[in-house]
């Protein structure tokens, strides 16, 4: 069984369509998304329609939870006051433009999905097993990885939220941050998704990068009235 993981799409339908086409080419059996479906690019409703239409199940991100419940704050972390102000504008824009159907979809997403194949228990969540807005970066200590995973009955942990892909193997467990389909922050502007295949007890993973029309999404961001710095960041992969 081979699965594809689509992390943090953030309203970028162009990136999602490109990632989906590549996943189909790679012959995946199933695709899961990691939530954070809106914000930063304008196509939150189109993204959700696409996921429903293509039978892609997934989990709830902090952005989904806060948009769906009309909260004051998206629960994101900001690098500086300017970014905080821009993110707040983007959050308001998304709350105002997400349809009721989209909000209902986001509201009803589960916190986690558990699957099991080839004798391995896999858990899929947005950011961490208990909190949807914790940034689980690769350079966290081994103690942190152990604390996050010790009370969770799983062999393979799959999550996103940081938009920076990595894999770490520790104590027989596999930790995979699947990166971001719609808003990569690792300096590579291409869309990122992750393939996971378990054969003979071995967990094989691959970060797939897919070129897409970044400029089309960047132009749509500017036309939509979202902060133009989101277009700049997309062009730089930051
Ligand atoms: Fe995100």
């Amino acid at each position: 069984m081979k699965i594809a993981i689509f992390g943090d799409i953030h309203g970028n339908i162009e990136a999602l369509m490109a990632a989906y086409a590549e996943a189909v080419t790679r012959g995946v059996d199933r695709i899961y998304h990691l939530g954070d479906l809106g914000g930063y690019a304008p196509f939150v409703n189109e993204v959700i329609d696409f996921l429903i239409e293509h039978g892609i199940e997934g989990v709830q991100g902090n952005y989904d939870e806060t948009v769906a419940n009309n909260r004051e704050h998206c629960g994101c972390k900001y690098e500086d006051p300017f970014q905080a102000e821009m993110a707040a504008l983007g959050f308001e824009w998304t709350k105002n433009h997400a349809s009721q159907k989209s909000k209902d979809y986001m509201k009803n997403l589960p916190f986690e999905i558990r699957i099991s194949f080839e004798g391995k228990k896999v858990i899929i969540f947005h950011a961490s097993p208990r909190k949807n807005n914790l940034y689980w970066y690769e350079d966290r200590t081994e103690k942190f990885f152990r604390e996050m995973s010790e009370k969770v009955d799983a062999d393979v942990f799959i999550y996103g939220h940081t938009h920076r892909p990595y894999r770490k193997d520790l104590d027989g467990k596999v930790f995979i941050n699947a990166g971001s389909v719609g808003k990569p922050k690792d300096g590579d502007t291409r869309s990122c998704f992750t393939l996971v295949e378990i054969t003979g007890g071995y967990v094989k993973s691959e970060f797939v990068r897919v070129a897409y029309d970044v400029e089309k999404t960047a132009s749509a961001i500017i036309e939509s009235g979202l902060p133009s710095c989101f277009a700049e960041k997309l062009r730089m992969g930051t």
Side-chain angles (χ1 to χ4, degrees):
M1 169 125 125
K2 192 198 278 187
I3 62 172
I5 307 293
F6 286 3
D8 298 74
I9 302 164
H10 283 299
N12 191 342
I13 189 73
E14 291 298 321
L16 173 59
M17 290 191 300
Y20 181 80
E22 181 64 21
V24 169
T25 303
R26 299 295 195 101
V28 301
D29 298 295
R30 234 183 279 171
I31 303 173
Y32 294 97
H33 72 75
L34 297 180
D36 272 14
L37 306 175
Y40 304 105
F43 303 107
V44 56
N45 298 320
E46 290 81 354
V47 162
I48 289 169
D49 286 346
F50 188 96
L51 296 173
I52 294 169
E53 199 179 308
H54 294 85
I56 300 170
E57 289 176 33
V59 294
Q60 187 183 58
N62 57 301
Y63 215 96
D64 310 311
E65 196 262 324
T66 51
V67 166
N69 293 293
N70 282 313
R71 300 221 195 283
E72 289 295 308
H73 192 280
C74 66
C76 318
K77 189 179 78 179
Y78 311 114
E79 288 135 37
D80 55 62
F82 175 74
Q83 289 306 326
E85 195 187 328
M86 294 303 106
L89 289 174
F91 183 56
E92 282 305 311
W93 188 100
T94 306
K95 281 195 289 186
N96 291 332
H97 289 82
S99 68
Q100 193 53 49
K101 179 189 165 197
S102 295
K103 287 184 181 176
D104 290 344
Y105 175 85
M106 291 187 274
K107 202 173 200 160
N108 291 317
L109 287 169
F111 186 88
E112 64 177 44
I113 290 176
R114 286 172 186 264
I115 51 175
S116 173
F117 57 101
E118 295 270 339
K120 295 278 185 194
K121 292 174 190 158
V122 180
I123 184 168
I124 297 169
F125 47 83
H126 179 65
S128 81
R130 307 206 200 292
K131 277 187 82 182
N132 69 9
N133 65 347
L134 192 151
Y135 291 84
W136 191 344
Y137 290 110
E138 187 173 14
D139 62 2
R140 291 277 196 177
T141 62
E142 290 193 349
K143 185 169 170 269
F144 181 91
F145 277 79
R146 289 193 178 102
E147 281 171 1
M148 281 295 122
S149 60
E150 65 188 356
K151 291 190 182 111
V152 184
D153 183 22
D155 308 299
V156 183
F157 295 71
I158 302 176
Y159 47 93
H161 186 55
T162 66
H163 303 204
R164 291 166 195 251
Y166 67 84
R167 170 181 174 148
K168 186 178 175 81
D169 291 60
L170 183 68
D171 303 338
K173 293 177 179 174
V174 180
F175 301 92
I176 297 170
N177 186 311
S180 170
V181 163
K183 195 182 188 318
K185 289 185 186 173
D186 60 351
D188 186 338
T189 59
R190 293 173 299 171
S191 179
C192 177
F193 74 88
T194 301
L195 288 175
V196 179
E197 195 171 6
I198 303 177
T199 36
Y202 182 73
V203 181
K204 202 174 133 191
S205 59
E206 180 188 348
F207 302 115
V208 181
R209 302 309 289 242
V210 189
Y212 74 99
D213 194 344
V214 174
E215 206 41 50
K216 194 168 173 184
T217 299
S219 304
I221 289 169
I222 293 163
E223 278 165 32
S224 72
L226 277 164
S228 59
C229 64
F230 296 163
E232 276 312 305
K233 284 186 156 288
L234 208 61
R235 289 177 179 130
M236 293 186 297
T238 58

